[in-house]
Amino acid sequence: MSNDIVVKVETVSKKFCRSLRQMMYYGIKDIARGTLGIHSNSDRLRNGEFWALTDISFELKQGKTLGIIGPNGSGKSTMLRMLNGIFMPDKGRIEIKGKVGALIEIGAGFHPLLTGRENIYINGMILGLTKKEINDKIEEIIAFADIGNFIDSPIKFYSSGMFVRLGFSIAVNVRPEILLIDEVLSVGDLSFQNKCLRKLAELREKANAVVFVSHNLEHVRNLCDKVLILNNGKQIFSGNTDKAIVKYQHLMDQKRLESLENGRGFELVGHISSGDIFFADSGILDKSRNKTDEISVGDELVVFFELEVKKDIKDIYFSLGIHNEREELCIWHISNESESPGFSHFSKGIYRILARIEKPNLVPGVYTLSFAVRNSETKETYERLIKYKKFVIKGNRISRGIVNTNIEWSMLRN
Amino acid sequence: MNNERVTIYIPDKQIKMGMGIWKEMFRELIKSRELTWRLFLRDFNARYKQTILGILWVLILPIVAVGIFVILNKGGILNVGTIDVPYPVFALFGITIWTLFASGLSSASNSMVQAGSMIVKINFSKVSLVVSSIGQPIVEFLVRIGLLVLVFIIFKTIPHWETIFLPLVLLPLFLLTLGIGFILALLSGVLRDVPNVVVLATTILMFISPVFYPIPEAGIFAELSYWNPLAHFITAARDIVFKGHISNQPGFIWSAIFAALVFFASWKIFYIAETKIPERI
């Protein structure tokens, strides 16, 4: 291992078993093989097993922070557990230089009937401190946890906030050289979260390296020098943080799209039809007018509808609505409001209707289309489709809210 | 940075051949002694926290058990033949020794499973878990020794001065308990049947071991006791207190050697196989 590399992971894979019965059988077998010194053949899948992680490789240099992001079940926590030596890899090799400390779950090992003070000693020792080290640090730990007189009460009387504060306080005061953190920043109130972030910044300066698993992209952006993206146990990206975040957001949008559509062309969330007009197809079009599921932020938005009209109809108009993920209506237009050439009559036949919005000004995210054909005189509805078609506006999702704008900041001091 | 220890994780735990592995095992045991002690204190402190009778529960169990056997004995249902001391003293002594073994096995076999959530979240010495789980049975044993002293006084039984060697006589029993405990702790991590089997097995073993009766001269129980190291340990402990010497010395020594072998072999198996447990617990 070269001098400045402190964590080195080489083509590491890990398998798990789906069935409890087979797991018990394999478990006994593996223990027996280990006892007899026979190679466990862990690199091969047995019946009922699957790879939870495959061929993960990365290196972490001294003083750097690595973020691991990925959807639920992508193998992030398994990776962290292997780095901590809780699980052994089934393939590959992990090398780590220095004392490893992990914040995998706060308060693991707390005994509910014992007091906070007693639990500090137990938890501290489980995390690898000696009694003397704990004696030196206990005041600091109690002060950081900030739970007042409760420190001498049994943990079972703690609120969940106090529990977490005590656990975090012990864990951060262990001062490891390599720090592994799993999603722990999402706990506690805002002021405690900020306190934790400050503590972690301090720890990062002292620690040789940090590996950080999170769903919170803000934290990842602020804390990490390098990011690894996992999806279904595979490493799909490793490198620069900003690039990784864009890629991850894209991945998540795709995933959401897939799960919403369930493989069908489109899903009719709400559909009201008079039977006079039959809805054939719809979607959005890219620059070259091909059907697509996603456009980039800043692109024009072109929506098309194909309708099969069964009989002649007069005085029609269309409405188009676009909702965001939070079900808020972002855009709504009707066809008789604008200067568009009038098309108030349908005769029998198939029609393709295009709606072009030059600057949708929407923040990146997943959106849904709604569409209706109505009669402007009688207000009767011929065809109405509510939130039926999903599409993605790609982009770096820094801005929140609804409208995508440009902003210039300046500061003056009087 | 160069002189720092590099930890390597690969599929099969690197097993040093020869004496290297023993050195590592002892180093781990010594390094984790504070943790072992702290885990023991945790379990001990927590055990009787939400109870009114507290540690008295330790005494209630053997008193009830011995009471039943004393009644059976007085009623002539249980005939134990000739013994050197009053039957209550004999029986209480037997069950005190026996419980050290039985409850030691039971807590060791539960130790890994009970700490399951901790094992999958924190990397720490699992040997500490098993060793510390034997602490509670030892404390209970010491409390029961206090009860035993009281019963000795009531029945005016005077132990021989050789009783001071009792800890030495009990050492093989302790090693055997811990040794089997290591294996059971491993197995119960994978198979939850183990703790149930332990309860069943120790109950059966208690009746075929000379706990409430002395080893008979002949017959199937004599034959069983000959091959039963537990029988030798219990009898040796009784002999040293009641007679001042061990009557069946070869039996005791062979059993002690057997116990030591079981202990070291099991410890090594535990050390090699412990990394297979967290993902399955």
Side-chain angles (χ1 to χ4, degrees):
Chain A
M1 214 151 58
S2 82
N3 273 350
D4 57 341
I5 291 171
V6 286
V7 179
K8 190 175 183 184
V9 174
E10 284 171 18
T11 59
V12 160
S13 301
K14 180 78 201 163
K15 62 182 180 183
F16 287 125
C17 192
R18 272 195 197 90
S19 126
L20 209 54
R21 192 166 287 276
Q22 272 163 332
M23 183 276 285
M24 294 184 338
Y25 169 65
Y26 294 147
I28 297 296
K29 213 168 144 185
D30 285 350
I31 290 172
R33 291 184 91 113
T35 305
L36 299 171
I38 304 170
H39 189 266
S40 63
N41 286 336
S42 60
D43 52 343
R44 264 175 270 162
L45 279 189
R46 290 172 288 194
N47 200 9
E49 288 182 326
F50 66 98
W51 291 110
L53 277 176
T54 36
D55 288 337
I56 309 297
S57 302
F58 61 84
E59 283 178 354
L60 192 56
K61 286 185 176 150
Q62 194 174 351
K64 299 288 183 195
T65 299
L66 172 79
I68 301 180
I69 54 180
N72 289 330
S74 58
K76 304 183 296 286
S77 297
T78 304
M79 190 64 235
L80 213 59
R81 278 174 194 179
M82 282 201 283
L83 289 175
N84 195 14
I86 296 173
F87 295 167
M88 291 293 135
D90 283 319
K91 249 200 261 181
R93 178 185 179 91
I94 299 173
E95 287 181 41
I96 293 177
K97 224 183 265 180
K99 182 179 140 196
V100 177
L103 272 171
I104 288 185
E105 191 181 286
I106 277 174
F110 274 176
H111 199 294
L113 285 174
L114 300 182
T115 69
R117 201 181 290 274
E118 287 169 305
N119 271 301
I120 291 177
Y121 277 96
I122 297 157
N123 215 247
M125 278 184 190
I126 293 169
L127 292 170
L129 293 179
T130 62
K131 193 178 178 192
K132 196 181 158 297
E133 285 172 315
I134 298 173
N135 280 335
D136 294 343
K137 283 174 183 166
I138 190 157
E139 290 312 317
E140 203 182 325
I141 293 172
I142 294 172
F144 189 86
D146 193 22
I147 53 175
N149 294 333
F150 271 93
I151 193 68
D152 290 311
S153 300
I155 295 257
K156 67 189 242 172
F157 297 133
Y158 282 29
S159 72
S160 54
M162 291 196 280
F163 186 89
V164 161
R165 264 143 65 177
L166 184 65
F168 192 85
S169 182
I170 298 168
V172 293
N173 280 295
V174 172
R175 300 267 163 79
E177 289 162 307
I178 314 270
L179 181 62
L180 312 174
I181 309 170
D182 190 358
E183 294 279 8
V184 286
L185 289 176
S186 52
V187 293
D189 57 18
L190 198 62
S191 81
F192 188 72
Q193 270 190 29
N194 285 333
K195 204 166 151 186
C196 294
L197 283 172
R198 279 199 299 277
K199 189 80 189 176
L200 282 179
E202 186 190 311
L203 276 178
R204 278 196 309 144
E205 275 168 32
K206 287 175 188 155
N208 282 335
V210 179
V211 178
F212 182 63
V213 166
S214 183
H215 278 123
N216 188 322
L217 294 179
E218 270 325 294
H219 289 155
V220 171
R221 193 195 310 279
N222 294 331
L223 295 170
C224 302
D225 302 298
K226 207 179 147 182
V227 170
L228 177 76
I229 306 179
L230 296 180
N231 187 25
N232 294 330
K234 291 187 184 69
Q235 173 174 345
I236 57 169
F237 181 84
S238 170
N240 175 283
T241 304
D242 290 329
K243 274 187 202 158
I245 285 173
V246 172
K247 202 163 168 70
Y248 177 68
Q249 284 169 336
H250 190 196
L251 171 77
M252 290 312 281
D253 288 344
Q254 285 298 327
K255 265 205 154 17
R256 223 166 301 157
L257 211 59
E258 278 165 29
S259 69
L260 288 169
E261 291 186 351
N262 290 327
R264 272 178 281 165
F266 51 83
E267 192 175 15
L268 300 175
V269 175
H271 183 201
I272 299 163
S273 180
S274 64
D276 298 333
I277 296 176
F278 180 73
F279 183 85
D281 195 10
S282 164
I284 62 167
L285 301 175
D286 61 14
K287 283 167 195 151
S288 42
R289 295 293 184 262
N290 292 320
K291 271 180 84 173
T292 181
D293 275 335
E294 52 179 47
I295 58 168
S296 296
V297 65
D299 286 357
E300 63 171 16
L301 174 64
V302 182
V303 185
F304 79 94
F305 309 96
E306 269 176 23
L307 300 172
E308 191 186 340
V309 180
K310 307 271 174 148
K311 64 171 192 185
D312 293 357
I313 303 171
K314 273 186 187 177
D315 300 323
I316 49 139
Y317 73 97
F318 310 117
S319 69
L320 168 69
I322 296 174
H323 288 81
N324 67 11
E325 289 161 76
R326 298 185 298 275
E327 312 266 298
E328 292 160 339
L329 182 63
C330 302
I331 289 176
W332 191 76
H333 286 295
I334 49 175
S335 62
N336 53 2
E337 72 182 333
S338 59
E339 301 292 310
S340 325
F343 32 74
S344 57
H345 287 74
F346 269 146
S347 48
K348 222 173 140 183
I350 294 171
Y351 292 81
R352 186 179 176 93
I353 295 135
L354 285 179
R356 176 171 163 269
I357 301 169
E358 194 186 350
K359 287 194 168 70
N361 284 332
L362 293 173
V363 297
V366 178
Y367 293 89
T368 53
L369 293 174
S370 299
F371 177 69
V373 188
R374 290 200 175 90
N375 187 303
S376 55
E377 293 301 315
T378 62
K379 304 294 174 201
E380 100 189 72
T381 301
Y382 297 111
E383 182 80 15
R384 187 173 168 218
L385 297 151
I386 305 148
K387 286 185 243 162
Y388 65 95
K389 178 78 189 173
K390 317 274 169 186
F391 68 98
V392 176
I393 298 184
K394 280 194 298 186
N396 195 349
R397 215 183 279 177
I398 302 172
S399 46
R400 295 192 192 170
I402 295 170
V403 187
N404 192 48
T405 49
N406 289 319
I407 191 164
E408 260 177 56
W409 299 87
S410 55
M411 184 164 79
L412 296 169
R413 190 176 176 192
N414 294 323
Chain B
M1 282 301 293
N2 268 334
N3 50 9
E4 253 183 84
R5 213 160 63 90
V6 177
T7 317
I8 296 171
Y9 300 123
I10 49 170
D12 288 298
K13 194 172 183 174
Q14 258 173 337
I15 302 304
K16 285 203 177 131
M17 284 302 137
M19 291 311 281
I21 185 168
W22 293 106
K23 232 163 101 184
E24 264 177 35
M25 284 159 62
F26 273 103
R27 197 166 58 204
E28 187 195 0
L29 192 69
I30 289 164
K31 217 179 89 188
S32 56
R33 65 189 190 283
E34 271 188 344
L35 172 64
T36 309
W37 176 244
R38 190 51 69 171
L39 285 171
F40 157 68
L41 281 183
R42 177 191 76 168
D43 295 339
F44 180 73
N45 286 331
R47 183 146 191 157
Y48 301 109
K49 269 252 156 111
Q50 217 173 355
T51 61
I52 293 174
L53 293 180
I55 196 127
L56 280 178
W57 280 112
V58 175
L59 301 177
I60 292 167
L61 236 68
I63 290 175
V64 170
V66 168
I68 290 167
F69 278 90
V70 169
I71 291 165
L72 288 177
N73 182 236
K74 282 255 155 66
I77 296 163
L78 180 77
N79 190 6
V80 294
T82 47
I83 42 174
D84 312 322
V85 289
Y87 183 70
V89 180
F90 181 91
L92 190 65
F93 190 89
I95 192 138
T96 302
I97 305 280
W98 178 259
T99 315
L100 176 63
F101 171 74
S103 61
L105 272 196
S106 152
S107 24
S109 64
N110 281 312
S111 59
M112 293 267 270
V113 174
Q114 267 171 6
S117 67
M118 214 160 85
I119 286 176
V120 296
K121 280 158 197 155
I122 308 172
N123 187 6
F124 65 104
S125 152
K126 278 122 212 143
V127 172
S128 292
L129 274 179
V130 183
V131 176
S132 74
S133 74
I134 306 281
Q136 184 67 24
I138 291 177
V139 171
E140 291 175 0
F141 173 74
L142 294 177
V143 173
R144 283 170 185 154
I145 290 284
L147 175 73
L148 208 53
V149 169
L150 203 70
V151 174
F152 268 72
I153 293 167
I154 291 168
F155 287 91
K156 298 190 180 66
T157 311
I158 298 154
H160 284 257
W161 70 268
E162 285 88 349
T163 302
I164 54 168
F165 294 116
L166 186 63
L168 210 63
V169 174
L170 289 178
L171 183 69
L173 177 67
F174 177 73
L175 289 182
L176 186 68
T177 310
L178 199 52
I180 302 173
F182 275 134
I183 299 294
L184 295 178
L186 268 187
L187 288 181
S188 68
V190 182
L191 301 170
R192 293 292 190 278
D193 311 67
V194 171
N196 295 329
V197 172
V198 169
V199 173
L200 192 68
T202 48
T203 311
I204 294 169
L205 269 176
M206 183 176 82
F207 287 106
I208 62 171
S209 300
V211 177
F212 292 110
Y213 55 85
I215 297 178
E217 298 292 326
I220 184 151
F221 277 87
E223 189 67 20
L224 274 175
S225 298
Y226 179 81
W227 294 106
N228 180 359
L230 293 166
H232 290 289
F233 296 143
I234 296 166
T235 312
R238 246 186 216 132
D239 284 351
I240 206 93
V241 174
F242 298 148
K243 290 180 181 156
H245 63 90
I246 296 170
S247 42
N248 183 358
Q249 273 182 13
F252 174 72
I253 289 166
W254 279 115
S255 300
I257 291 168
F258 171 76
L261 286 178
V262 167
F263 170 73
F264 285 108
S266 307
W267 185 17
K268 188 172 167 182
I269 291 172
F270 185 84
Y271 183 79
I272 293 169
E274 63 176 355
T275 56
K276 310 263 184 212
I277 296 301
E279 63 201 75
R280 299 195 160 94
I281 207 145

